[in-house]
């Protein structure tokens, strides 16, 4: 039995997230159907994380086991012919038997994009959060950096998937501007349900003057979700970088 890792990307607008569900189209289900067709056996994929409905991935790792002998260098082209245009596999590697896309992942980076202009841009619909009021990226950056370090992040998660602990380590969290496009990048050893979207909402609250960047440590310490900012829409969120011991998966 071969263990194969895939590097892929997808636009999540038309999907109810990554994880297979009974009543909604998902990225994993779509990928499994395509792989099952070319491998001529039922395939189950393991993904590096559960992206929510409408969230995108510029980098994503999944793995599956198969007895099919199709070479890895031919696998991306073969599977892409059976995938819709909003999902693309761009490389495949045979990996160790013990490799697991989520369990072997060391850390992840998410990017939240905000289109900050008085006039909307049709090309950013479902791809960035349109915010017409001018935002001060310096204030946002100060607020974002307040999340760095090891903390209990209960105050910036939504009720959802249960987890053993709500303590995570954020290695960096910062905001930059390129013209009208603002990007909040956050890298951590793991994320809670809606954590990045709630962090972004809290950073926006700081820019709006509804709280000060210096208030954020106390908000985290309280564990009170109502003290933090709102959960912003999913369309601006992207999984953008992953780290594994296998360097082939980090390129």
């Amino acid at each position: 039995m071969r263990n194969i890792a895939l590097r892929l990307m997808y636009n999540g607008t038309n999907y109810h997230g990554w994880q297979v569900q009974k009543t909604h189209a998902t990225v994993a289900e779509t990928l499994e159907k395509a792989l099952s067709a070319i491998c001529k056996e039922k395939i189950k994929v393991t993904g590096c994380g559960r992206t929510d409905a409408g969230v995108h991935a510029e980098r994503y790792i999944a793995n599956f086991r198969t007895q099919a002998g199709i070479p890895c260098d031919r696998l991306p082209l073969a599977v892409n012919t059976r995938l819709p245009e909003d999902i693309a596999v761009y490389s495949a590697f045979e990996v160790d038997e013990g490799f697991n896309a989520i369990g072997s992942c060391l850390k992840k980076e998410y990017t939240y994009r905000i289109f900050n202009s008085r006039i909307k841009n049709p090309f950013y619909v479902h791809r960035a959060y349109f915010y017409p009021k001018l935002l001060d990226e310096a204030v946002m950056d100060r607020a974002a950096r307040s999340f760095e370090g090891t903390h209990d992040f209960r105050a910036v998660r939504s009720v959802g998937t249960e987890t053993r602990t709500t303590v995570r380590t954020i290695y960096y969290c910062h905001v930059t501007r390129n013209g009208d496009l603002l990007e909040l990048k956050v890298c951590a050893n793991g994320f809670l349900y809606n954590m990045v979207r709630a962090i972004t909402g809290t950073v926006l609250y700081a820019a709006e003057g509804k709280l000060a960047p210096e208030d954020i440590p106390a908000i985290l310490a309280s564990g009170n979700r109502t003290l933090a900012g709102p959960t912003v829409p999913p369309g601006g969120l992207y999984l953008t970088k992953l780290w594994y011991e296998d360097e082939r998966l980090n390129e």
Side-chain angles (χ1 to χ4, degrees), residues 139-161:
V139 173
M140 294 176 69
D141 186 58
R142 278 172 46 217
R145 292 178 187 274
S146 298
F147 288 98
E148 294 175 345
T150 301
H151 308 284
D152 187 327
F153 286 98
R154 282 179 300 162
V156 284
R157 74 152 181 174
S158 299
V159 175
T161 307

Side-chain angles (χ1 to χ4, degrees), residues 98-250:
F99 178 86
N100 176 288
I102 189 166
S104 302
C105 188
L106 303 174
K107 54 185 178 178
K108 303 172 190 172
E109 178 196 83
Y110 280 92
T111 300
Y112 195 91
R113 294 179 176 137
I114 300 169
F115 184 68
N116 186 210
S117 170
R118 290 197 306 120
I119 306 300
K120 64 184 179 180
N121 184 330
F123 292 100
Y124 281 119
V125 174
H126 301 306
R127 295 178 56 211
Y129 180 29
F130 172 52
Y131 196 96
K133 184 179 178 182
L134 182 63
L135 293 167
D136 186 336
E137 65 270 21
V139 173
M140 294 176 69
D141 186 58
R142 278 172 46 217
R145 292 178 187 274
S146 298
F147 288 98
E148 294 175 345
T150 301
H151 308 284
D152 187 327
F153 286 98
R154 282 179 300 162
V156 284
R157 74 152 181 174
S158 299
V159 175
T161 307
E162 290 303 313
T163 182
R164 191 171 66 253
T165 175
T166 50
V167 174
R168 298 290 187 273
T169 298
I170 288 183
Y171 302 107
Y172 58 79
C173 186
H174 54 75
V175 174
T176 57
R177 178 186 285 275
N178 183 7
D180 292 329
L181 192 65
L182 288 164
E183 288 191 335
L184 181 148
K185 287 187 179 291
V186 54
C187 172
N189 61 357
F191 292 89
L192 304 171
Y193 184 49
N194 283 344
M195 179 172 157
V196 178
R197 290 163 60 190
I199 286 174
T200 304
T202 307
V203 167
L204 282 170
Y205 259 22
E208 293 169 349
K210 294 179 179 177
L211 58 86
E214 293 74 26
D215 295 334
I216 290 172
I219 292 172
L220 290 177
S222 75
N224 188 341
R225 179 69 188 89
T226 64
L227 297 180
T231 300
V232 292
L237 184 60
Y238 298 72
L239 180 57
T240 46
K241 197 169 182 180
L242 299 155
W243 285 263
Y244 289 89
E245 288 185 0
D246 189 334
E247 289 294 334
R248 296 175 300 172
L249 305 179
N250 299 334

Side-chain angles (χ1 to χ4, degrees), residues 15 27 40 48 89 95 97 105 144 166 173 182 211 216 220 251:
Y15 301 96
V27 179
K40 302 190 183 331
C48 62
V89 174
V95 290
E97 172 61 27
C105 188
T166 50
C173 186
L182 288 164
L211 58 86
I216 290 172
L220 290 177
E251 296 172 1

Side-chain angles (χ1 to χ4, degrees), residues 29-46:
E29 176 194 24
T30 306
L31 181 60
E32 286 178 352
K33 286 180 178 177
L35 288 168
S36 296
I38 65 169
C39 293
K40 302 190 183 331
E41 60 181 338
K42 187 170 180 60
I43 297 295
K44 300 296 290 183
V45 296
T46 298

